[in-house]
Amino acid sequence: MNKKMVVLTLVLATLLVMPACKKKTPGRLSNEGALAMVPDGASMVLSFDFLKFSDLALFDKMLKDDWKKEGGPGKVFANYPEFVQKTGIDLKKDVYSVTAGIYGELGGEAPRVVGFVNLKYDKEKVLGLLRQNNVIVAEENYRGLGLYTLKGEESVKDGLRTLSQEGSQKEARLVFLNAYNIIIGTEAQVKLAVDLAQGSGASIFKNGAMMKYVDKLKKDTMLWLVIGNIPDKYKNAPAGGMMPVDLSKAEAFIGYLDYKGKIFSGEFQLLSNNPEGNKQVVDMLNGLKALGAMGSAKEPELGQLLNGIQLSASADAIKLAFSLPEELMNKLSDKAKDKAKNMMPPPAPAEPVAQ
């Protein structure tokens, strides 16, 4: 190959690589990078692509209409522009993803949780706001990083929810891991995550039993989740009545939700090596679906919803797949809100003012 051909080949290769490089967002984690931060032992793992969610009309509506709802960010920030100005975070472009692990028995009394928020942020601005609003109640040093205890209220003023358990408040811990990642969760799990980030401990990648389910999933989606162990209280629930189901062999639950071209789509599977039981469950659900379709003449949106859902059974899984237009979901949401308003009792008459 002569020198001209070598130069031409290098130029073409550079042109092909450059667009891909430009698309990469500094600090944004891949699915693999996010999972590598989750300590081993989680019974459930989920990942939420916040950038995809922020593209939804629903998200814009939340910012516009729901801002001042009781307990919302309107308690601290007058409007969204003020939120951006004070926090330095534009939710439309600066929050990339949220990944979480849940530890202990699903549905148990004292779940342990750790979440990782991957975003572009200014630590001093966020930390200053937390302190200014008295959200931080304690601080300690853990492996060279600040470990902050957040106030154990139902919701704190920066919008981060604390974790609670029956009979007591369990404050969340927060760590600013680096310029692009914040860890929040129960104390033990947050410390394990810090250990892992600093090179000690094992990530969920070491858990072959869990990863065999994670590997089955479509993960370039808006949301995906894996429940790697179905608790016995669900598998062994007493069967009976007119519609008995057999979930005794259920192993795991996996699924994803996506949004593209104004269409919500997804697939959820209960993995269970039980051909007869799986067919029984799907036959029952399809029967309920047929009953619902009978009322679709008066509620056409209900008919569209049911037509967009497919249920099927195989020897080793029960599958629910769906494809639903965003317009339909917005209509159903508006109707549900209207019905909820009509069900609300009328306000009590004002008490007469004493003369």
Side-chain angles (χ1 to χ4, degrees):
M1 184 181 289
N2 60 38
K3 291 182 179 179
K4 287 184 179 180
M5 287 299 295
V6 171
V7 171
L8 180 60
T9 302
L10 290 173
V11 170
L12 288 172
T14 302
L15 290 173
L16 288 170
V17 170
M18 282 178 65
C21 293
K22 287 180 181 178
K23 290 179 182 178
K24 183 172 176 60
T25 304
R28 185 176 183 184
L29 289 173
S30 64
N31 270 298
E32 289 73 19
L35 278 172
M37 298 173 69
V38 180
D40 191 12
S43 54
M44 175 177 173
V45 182
L46 65 86
S47 181
F48 181 49
D49 188 325
F50 200 90
L51 282 180
K52 286 193 174 187
F53 176 62
S54 68
D55 276 342
L56 295 177
L58 170 65
F59 185 75
D60 292 331
K61 188 174 185 297
M62 288 169 61
L63 292 182
K64 181 180 177 182
D65 299 339
D66 298 344
W67 190 262
K68 291 187 177 294
K69 279 191 174 179
E70 186 178 352
K75 291 175 66 177
V76 179
F77 309 101
N79 50 46
Y80 183 63
E82 184 182 51
F83 170 87
V84 175
Q85 185 269 320
K86 288 187 175 180
T87 64
I89 299 170
D90 185 344
L91 298 176
K92 293 284 291 180
K93 63 180 182 180
D94 292 336
V95 183
Y96 307 142
S97 65
V98 179
T99 305
I102 299 176
Y103 298 75
E105 183 178 301
L106 198 69
E109 292 185 359
R112 303 180 304 281
V113 181
V114 64
F116 306 88
V117 186
N118 180 217
L119 76 168
K120 177 184 174 184
Y121 74 106
D122 182 326
K123 173 186 172 182
E124 296 310 316
K125 274 194 171 185
V126 175
L127 186 56
L129 276 170
L130 292 176
R131 284 177 169 152
Q132 179 184 333
N133 289 284
N134 300 314
V135 174
I136 294 173
V137 296
E139 177 182 345
E140 63 181 285
N141 183 291
Y142 184 72
R143 302 193 69 161
L145 295 170
L147 179 67
Y148 302 95
T149 302
L150 305 182
K151 188 185 297 183
E153 296 179 339
E154 182 182 350
S155 63
V156 295
K157 292 182 179 180
D158 67 332
L160 294 172
R161 292 198 173 274
T162 60
L163 309 168
S164 61
Q165 65 182 44
E166 272 189 31
S168 67
Q169 287 291 342
K170 193 176 185 68
E171 296 99 345
R173 301 298 195 275
L174 180 143
V175 169
F176 298 101
L177 182 64
N178 52 41
Y180 290 100
N181 294 284
I182 295 174
I183 307 174
I184 184 169
T186 41
E187 181 178 4
Q189 269 53 50
V190 168
K191 288 182 175 179
L192 284 174
V194 172
D195 294 344
L196 187 57
Q198 297 192 2
S200 61
S203 79
I204 200 163
F205 279 123
K206 299 293 185 181
N207 188 332
M210 181 64 116
M211 288 306 298
K212 72 178 181 181
Y213 302 125
V214 174
D215 290 341
K216 288 176 179 283
L217 272 170
K218 182 180 180 182
K219 293 187 284 294
D220 58 340
T221 54
M222 186 165 69
L223 169 73
W224 61 262
L225 63 87
V226 172
I227 299 172
N229 184 22
I230 306 296
D232 288 341
K233 64 182 177 182
Y234 299 119
K235 292 196 292 186
N236 300 327
M242 295 178 64
M243 296 181 291
V245 294
D246 178 10
L247 301 178
S248 60
K249 297 181 181 178
E251 299 174 20
F253 182 81
I254 65 175
Y256 71 86
L257 167 67
D258 205 10
Y259 174 82
K260 286 180 182 176
K262 297 189 179 299
I263 298 290
F264 288 101
S265 61
E267 182 178 284
F268 293 93
Q269 294 187 64
L270 181 68
L271 304 179
S272 174
N273 188 15
N274 186 356
E276 291 184 9
N278 296 346
K279 183 178 182 303
Q280 181 187 53
V281 171
V282 169
D283 286 347
M284 179 197 73
L285 293 174
N286 276 325
L288 293 174
K289 182 180 167 183
L291 285 174
M294 293 172 64
S296 62
K298 293 182 179 179
E299 297 278 354
E301 289 86 3
L302 175 62
Q304 283 182 265
L305 175 68
L306 294 172
N307 286 335
I309 298 173
Q310 292 80 44
L311 294 153
S312 60
S314 63
D316 57 3
I318 296 166
K319 183 188 297 184
L320 182 153
F322 61 91
S323 180
L324 302 165
E326 182 181 12
E327 182 182 7
L328 171 63
M329 301 307 290
N330 289 337
K331 285 181 181 178
L332 290 169
S333 175
D334 291 340
K335 281 196 169 187
K337 287 179 181 178
D338 289 341
K339 287 182 179 179
K341 285 180 184 177
N342 294 333
M343 293 172 67
M344 293 284 287
E351 294 185 6
V353 178
Q355 299 295 323

